[in-house]
Amino acid sequence: MRIPGQRWYTPYLFAAPALVLFGVFFAWPAVTAIQLSFFKYDMISPPPVFVGVDNFVRMLGDGRFWTALLNSVLFLVGMFPLLVVVPLLLAVLVNQKLPGIKTFRMLYYLPVVTSMVAVGIAWEYVFHQQGVLNWMLTGAGLLDEPIQYLLDPAWALPAVILVEGWKNMGFYMMIYLAGLQTIPASIYEAARVDGANAWHRLRSITVPLLLPYIAVAITVEMLDAMQAFTSIYVMTKGGPQDATLTLGYYIWSAAFERYEMGYASAMGLVLWVLMIGLAILNYRITRGRTVIA
Amino acid sequence: MILRRAGMYILLTAIALAFVGPFLILLSAGLKPADQAVYSFPPDIIPRPPVLNWVIEAWTSIPYPTYLLNSVIYVGLTVPAYVIVSALCAYPLAQMHFRGRNIVFFAILSTMFLPGELMLIPRFLVVTQLGMADTFAGVILPGLLSAFGIFLLRQTFAGVPRDVVDAARTDGCHELRIFWHVMLPAARPTLAILSIFGFISVWNSFIWPLVVLKDSAKYPLALGISYLAGITGTDVRTLAAGTIMSIIPVVIVFMLMQRHVLEGMRGAVKG
């Protein structure tokens, strides 16, 4: 049967706008990135000069690259409890049937919808030497002296990680909440009848049944952490003394402050390989028990 | 039992305060009169009395209205275009058999695995080569392809019963008419979700406009705020007022549409 209005090319026409955008803004740039990483190119004195693997060799001897890589790994590790563990507890908390619980869900999600620029600026007020965080910590006796968190090389990275984690927690909470709502309440009731307390229920029902969602959270967390940029741009610009220089920030500054497009692309490629590697590793470890591709 | 419940609400409220607190501090700083300290031990959070001169200051010390209008234009042009592009691509993926369907599918999927930082540089070069550096088009076009949008809509369209589509086809309906009169109405909730997510993401977009734009007159609001923060001598109250104003539109949209946002999250995870 010939379908009226449908010729062999009809599906392609529908997909054409997306495919053109894919070609121009994804495929072409991806190929360009790979090419560029073997060239030296400063955008001012064209054309690009082929330098073979020099950019990759340079990375090996570039102390700042290793600092950035280490900081990115610390970022990933530091955000793990904030984005994989805490949101799970939050999700359990807001999964209760209580009047007004939707309002709390919404408030916890609020930082997710606000811009990182606004969030970064808001936290600068919190982190101020005379700010509310120092007031709370000195008041509780945890600190003797107020700290300038964003200016202190020991504290700047944890501070930025805290802000990134705080901003995105609500998002991860919603991932878990979606999972929790697939668990029938009868399982919990049965466990309660058997005398299982809240901790037991969490450990032996919630966590195992949520494993696919935890796998998603871990994957997304790793990809997020490896790409952190705006928070650093707004709050610390990679400083003090490179304490918050992450791979993402270093790539940006190499490309758009020093115009070393080739070197920056080579580092971008390394970042990409790392991300793919982490995603595959995570997939292996969780044995593919994930709900999204 | 009542005690337990009260304790639960205290816990929930304390956590809520941790999430809303930084914004309240910002709001407070932006409304405080000049003779009231922004920082103090203990914090002095209630402005006495609240004043609007920092709002006016923020509005005039940078071209705030221009940035606001730019953000509205970016949202107004990007969101409908990205929803349409997504829907057009999702329809054949959901309801037609054709050669290369898997290739299209995996091409779209692959875009999720390209890191932003890696793409920033070559995409900037491509946009420059196309003569779109420092233009609205350069800011908007690369954002129109969204794997999230395409997959969510594909899933929705796949849920439209085959019979309905076939009936329309045997009635001699053109595919474009089916798309417009059957598919899009059936996907209304999903379209709402995508529009809200699009709004939020375009309103907050920062890094790409930062790279593409040289002329500060084309800045979206988020970039304008970061520009305001970078001007030495900007009063902390002015910065606070300007920043809090920049998030009001997105917060209002989120509060009105929160059901859709949270639905969308669920759809994305299950998708």
Side-chain angles (χ1 to χ4, degrees):
Chain A
M1 182 185 76
R2 204 187 77 84
I3 299 168
Q6 183 173 354
R7 302 179 194 281
W8 68 267
Y9 53 76
T10 305
Y12 305 101
L13 281 183
F14 273 95
L19 290 177
V20 170
L21 287 167
F22 174 78
V24 176
F25 296 112
F26 288 89
W28 181 12
V31 172
T32 308
I34 295 169
Q35 271 182 333
L36 259 181
S37 61
F38 298 100
F39 283 82
K40 189 175 159 62
Y41 183 43
D42 62 6
M43 299 212 26
I44 303 151
S45 53
V49 182
F50 182 77
V51 293
V53 294
D54 278 10
N55 287 324
F56 295 94
V57 174
R58 182 179 155 192
M59 245 179 269
L60 294 174
D62 179 359
R64 294 192 79 206
F65 169 77
W66 292 105
T67 306
L69 184 62
L70 176 67
N71 284 339
S72 284
V73 172
L74 290 175
F75 219 100
L76 192 153
V77 174
M79 289 226 300
F80 188 88
L82 296 177
L83 294 183
V84 177
V85 182
V86 176
L88 177 60
L89 304 175
L90 288 177
V92 171
L93 209 56
V94 299
N95 192 38
Q96 302 176 93
K97 286 194 175 53
L98 285 174
I101 198 74
K102 286 197 171 145
T103 308
F104 287 107
R105 265 180 224 167
M106 185 184 76
L107 292 175
Y108 298 179
Y109 199 79
L110 198 62
V112 180
V113 303
T114 49
S115 71
M116 192 66 230
V117 176
V119 163
I121 291 172
W123 274 87
E124 285 180 16
Y125 289 76
V126 177
F127 284 143
H128 191 270
Q129 195 163 16
Q130 298 285 308
V132 63
L133 187 63
N134 274 317
W135 173 71
M136 288 197 299
L137 294 180
T138 51
L142 293 169
L143 281 183
D144 298 328
E145 286 291 312
I147 293 174
Q148 292 201 289
Y149 299 93
L150 297 174
L151 298 176
D152 187 326
W155 284 95
L157 188 66
V160 174
I161 290 172
L162 175 69
V163 175
E164 277 276 351
W166 174 87
K167 186 194 186 303
N168 296 311
M169 256 177 211
F171 181 83
Y172 291 80
M173 176 187 81
M174 291 309 298
I175 294 179
Y176 287 131
L177 193 61
L180 284 177
Q181 295 183 340
T182 63
I183 304 177
S186 57
I187 299 184
Y188 287 106
E189 262 139 48
R192 209 168 292 157
V193 171
D194 290 343
N197 62 27
W199 165 246
H200 278 127
R201 293 199 296 272
L202 182 70
R203 215 193 49 193
S204 42
I205 302 174
T206 311
V207 171
L209 286 176
L210 280 190
L211 269 185
Y213 294 85
I214 295 172
V216 171
I218 293 174
T219 309
V220 179
E221 188 263 340
M222 292 192 306
L223 300 184
D224 273 358
M226 293 304 278
Q227 297 190 73
F229 172 81
T230 309
S231 54
I232 296 161
Y233 180 89
V234 172
M235 292 194 291
T236 62
K237 297 265 194 295
Q241 297 159 33
D242 287 347
T244 58
L245 183 78
T246 58
L247 217 41
Y249 195 84
Y250 191 38
I251 292 170
W252 182 86
S253 92
F256 297 105
E257 288 180 342
R258 298 199 314 252
Y259 297 103
E260 296 184 291
M261 294 297 179
Y263 188 48
S265 294
M267 289 193 289
L269 218 58
V270 169
L271 176 64
W272 187 56
V273 170
L274 279 176
M275 284 171 56
I276 297 284
L278 283 173
I280 292 172
L281 186 71
N282 181 43
Y283 186 82
R284 282 280 170 79
I285 289 170
T286 55
R287 287 181 230 104
R289 278 184 295 193
T290 169
V291 275
I292 54 169
Chain B
M1 193 62 205
I2 288 173
L3 254 175
R4 249 198 85 156
R5 184 167 270 206
M8 193 53 77
Y9 277 109
I10 290 169
L11 180 64
L12 286 165
T13 309
I15 296 171
L17 219 53
F19 281 112
V20 184
F23 297 120
L24 294 180
I25 288 170
L26 210 53
L27 181 67
S28 143
L31 293 175
K32 277 180 181 174
D35 56 4
Q36 189 182 1
V38 171
Y39 305 107
S40 61
F41 282 9
D44 177 19
I45 202 103
I46 311 289
R48 285 185 312 268
V51 294
L52 287 178
N53 46 331
W54 311 114
V55 171
I56 296 161
E57 178 83 29
W59 194 266
T60 49
S61 63
I62 54 168
Y64 207 99
T66 309
Y67 297 155
L68 190 63
L69 181 67
N70 287 345
S71 272
V72 171
I73 293 172
Y74 286 124
V75 168
L77 292 176
T78 309
V79 174
Y82 121 89
V83 171
I84 287 290
V85 168
S86 301
L88 283 171
C89 182
Y91 176 44
L93 283 178
Q95 293 277 1
M96 296 180 198
H97 292 285
F98 59 96
R99 253 161 184 267
R101 197 169 83 150
N102 284 338
I103 296 173
V104 174
F105 187 88
F106 282 109
I108 305 296
L109 186 69
S110 72
T111 64
M112 295 174 101
F113 294 94
L114 291 168
E117 273 91 3
L118 172 67
M119 297 303 282
L120 223 44
I121 300 159
R123 203 180 268 163
F124 171 69
L125 298 178
V126 165
V127 165
T128 307
Q129 260 176 307
L130 295 173
M132 293 194 296
D134 204 21
T135 65
F136 276 68
V139 173
I140 293 168
L141 287 175
L144 296 185
L145 182 67
S146 156
F148 166 70
I150 292 170
F151 290 147
L152 210 59
L153 275 168
R154 187 191 69 98
Q155 207 184 336
T156 313
F157 290 159
V160 175
R162 216 39 215 240
D163 306 353
V164 176
V165 182
D166 286 341
R169 279 179 186 152
T170 37
D171 282 352
C173 265
H174 200 274
E175 287 292 339
L176 209 54
R177 286 191 56 142
I178 299 176
F179 172 73
W180 196 259
H181 293 288
V182 179
M183 288 297 157
L184 286 188
R188 231 175 248 150
T190 311
L191 296 175
I193 288 168
L194 292 189
S195 306
I196 296 158
F197 273 88
F199 175 90
I200 293 170
S201 108
V202 175
W203 191 269
N204 294 338
S205 67
F206 180 79
I207 178 165
W208 179 243
L210 174 74
V211 165
V212 179
L213 295 175
K214 288 217 162 53
D215 178 6
S216 67
K218 296 175 189 130
Y219 278 3
L221 196 48
L223 216 52
I225 294 299
S226 137
Y227 173 64
L228 177 66
I231 302 173
T232 40
T234 297
D235 192 286
V236 286
R237 297 174 173 87
T238 309
L239 180 61
T243 307
I244 212 78
M245 274 195 289
S246 78
I247 65 171
I248 289 173
V250 84
V251 168
I252 289 175
V253 167
F254 168 61
M255 292 209 166
L256 293 176
M257 303 287 176
Q258 48 146 321
R259 195 171 53 85
H260 290 297
V261 176
L262 305 183
E263 275 299 295
M265 272 289 313
R266 211 162 301 162
V269 176
K270 282 184 192 153

